[in-house]
Amino acid sequence: MTGSPNTAAQGLRPDVLKARRIVVKVGSSSLTTAVGGLDSDRVDALVDVLARTRATGTEIVLVSSGAIAAGLAPLGLAERPQDLAGQQAAACVGQGLLVARYTASFARYGLRVGQVLLTADDIGRRAQYRNAYRALTKVLSMGAVPIVNENDTVATSEIRFGDNDRLAALVSHLVRADLLVLLSDIDGLYDGDPRRPGAQRLKDVYGQQDLADVELGGAGSGVGTGGMKTKVEAARIATGAGVPVVLTAARHAADALAGRETGTLFHRTGDRNSDHLLWLEHASSPRGTVQLTADAVNALVQGRGALPATGVTRVAGQFVAGDPVELLDEEGRVVARGLASLAFQELSLLRGRSGREVVHQDDLVLLPAAARAWPPSQLRRQVSVRVLPAREFAARDAGGPGF
């Protein structure tokens, strides 16, 4: 199914109709009962929609929350544990139940599923990234449906994505998806609390300017970790990397995947960019800070080559070469994030008096606050840099993409 000149007049979304590979993320509240435990009817209803979409020749990658929630009732827990060990235990029990239920449900359509558990490390490190890419693309090429979840059983606070909305955004870039669909218990983004009279649903979001007057809520349901803030942030990550996003309720999944105007469509705001820079901006955990002189900040923002140690005034943290670090201005505000070329001890000795490279210009990304503070003509390449053309991605397919 492809878009036609009349699709807009028919109330259909061309970006959705053209999508041949779609990442669908579903939240815990859309799969479980209020007290925890999987709701088989809800799982089957979602699979019915995905299987029908799959039958049109569209590839589906499902990012599914619900492992921790599915483990609550079997373990006799009345609510989601607050401690990490309790969450890991619930995930250990619930993940098997979740995948078993998906396996049985997709089997009704003769479809196989494959489980893929990821941590942020798997997106951020070259070897793990390549392996995740190869595994996902191979599963898709063999006609199966990948079921992706964060590896809650082993993930720690240092290597967590934080929520599956962010994971879904990064996976949509990882598998080079044409569309990301975020399914929740709310039917779109509203300009205020949707329970309040007069709140209006936003049908389209073209950029940050459309969100200026929007009030975003906090945490979502009692069995999940997300909320509207995490979904909007996920949409910003995906659209900035060239992937449009539809946000709607799980009960409207069929309409969303058919291209009908349900929920909120976040239009792409950027082009597909380098994988390690996407991770660096959105998924990395900085291991230290490097404070810079005003001249060094100016050179950094304007893209005048690599950052030398002569522009460094202060170093903090414990990091080695290759670790992510935050780059600060003279007032201590974060300007950018980069991969350190020198270890903490060496940089501490060389700061202010050496031309040695601190961060290579290809391993550097300006953060949004810094980008907004400078005219576009003076920015090195805006926030997400090092855009790779489609032919370069295609050339790498045989061996998997690199950093």
Side-chain angles (χ1 to χ4, degrees), residues 35-37 67-81 85-95 97:
V35 295
I68 293 177
L72 299 183
L75 290 176
L77 300 174
E79 58 185 18
R80 180 187 178 94
Q87 294 172 12
Q88 291 172 327
C92 185
V93 173
Q95 187 64 44
L97 297 172

Side-chain angles (χ1 to χ4, degrees), residues 119-134 174 274-277 279 322 339 363 386 388 392 396 399-403:
T119 67
D121 238 18
D122 300 320
I123 298 293
R125 296 184 182 277
R126 180 183 175 90
Q128 289 96 316
Y129 174 87
R130 291 168 67 92
N131 287 336
Y133 168 81
R134 289 186 180 126
L174 170 68
S274 172
D275 300 284
H276 90 294
L277 292 177
W279 164 78
L339 300 181
D363 293 330
R386 242 182 109 200
L388 301 183
E392 185 171 342
R396 294 179 177 182
F403 280 21

Side-chain angles (χ1 to χ4, degrees), residues 73-383:
L75 290 176
L77 300 174
E79 58 185 18
R80 180 187 178 94
Q82 297 302 308
D83 64 299
L84 179 60
Q87 294 172 12
Q88 291 172 327
C92 185
V93 173
Q95 187 64 44
L97 297 172
L98 181 66
V99 173
R101 189 67 199 87
Y102 275 128
T103 300
S105 192
F106 275 104
R108 297 176 298 139
Y109 294 91
L111 293 173
R112 298 180 183 276
V113 304
Q115 177 179 249
V116 181
L117 298 177
L118 297 173
T119 67
D121 238 18
D122 300 320
I123 298 293
R125 296 184 182 277
R126 180 183 175 90
Q128 289 96 316
Y129 174 87
R130 291 168 67 92
N131 287 336
Y133 168 81
R134 289 186 180 126
L136 285 164
T137 53
K138 189 64 173 180
V139 170
L140 288 169
S141 71
M142 298 181 74
V145 179
I147 310 292
V148 182
N149 197 356
E150 180 161 14
N151 195 348
D152 293 304
T153 302
V154 300
T156 64
S157 58
E158 288 79 13
I159 59 172
R160 291 182 68 88
F161 290 99
D163 57 79
N164 274 346
D165 296 316
R166 179 184 292 266
L167 169 60
L170 295 172
V171 167
S172 70
H173 189 277
L174 170 68
V175 301
R176 301 165 200 168
D178 303 307
L179 177 71
L180 170 61
V181 177
L182 299 174
L183 300 178
S184 178
D185 51 1
I186 301 176
D187 65 344
L189 175 64
Y190 284 75
D191 57 7
D193 189 335
R195 295 168 295 186
R196 289 203 313 246
Q200 297 292 316
R201 175 170 60 87
L202 281 65
K203 293 183 179 180
D204 295 275
V205 173
Y206 291 93
Q208 191 66 31
Q209 69 278 1
D210 293 336
L211 302 175
D213 299 322
V214 175
E215 299 177 18
L216 298 177
S221 69
V223 294
T225 59
M228 195 52 66
K229 285 184 179 179
T230 69
K231 291 166 179 55
V232 171
E233 174 63 12
R236 186 180 74 82
I237 295 171
T239 56
V243 182
V245 178
V246 175
L247 168 62
T248 191
R251 64 182 181 277
H252 298 318
D255 287 337
L257 291 169
R260 301 187 185 95
E261 290 190 346
T262 184
T264 301
L265 173 62
F266 294 80
H267 296 261
R268 60 173 63 88
T269 60
D271 298 313
R272 196 177 298 277
N273 53 12
S274 172
D275 300 284
H276 90 294
L277 292 177
L278 187 82
W279 164 78
L280 185 59
E281 182 181 355
H282 299 294
S284 65
S285 297
R287 302 303 176 94
T289 59
V290 177
Q291 196 157 15
L292 309 176
T293 64
D295 288 342
V297 171
N298 291 341
L300 180 153
V301 171
Q302 296 179 41
R304 298 204 300 266
L307 175 64
T310 50
V312 176
T313 60
R314 184 175 179 273
V315 185
Q318 291 291 332
F319 53 87
V320 299
D323 279 348
V325 293
E326 288 189 329
L327 305 177
L328 314 180
D329 65 12
E330 290 183 312
E331 285 72 42
R333 294 171 299 198
V334 179
V335 176
R337 192 172 292 171
L339 300 181
S341 300
L342 302 171
F344 166 78
Q345 291 85 351
E346 189 175 11
L347 181 55
S348 297
L349 295 174
L350 296 175
R351 64 182 175 87
R353 57 187 183 87
S354 171
R356 289 280 300 278
E357 179 181 272
V358 177
V359 177
H360 191 276
Q361 60 183 350
D362 288 340
D363 293 330
L364 177 71
V365 60
L366 296 179
L367 298 183
R372 288 194 295 270
W374 290 79
S377 61
Q378 296 183 32
L379 288 176
R380 54 170 51 231
R381 273 165 290 181
Q382 291 291 337
V383 178

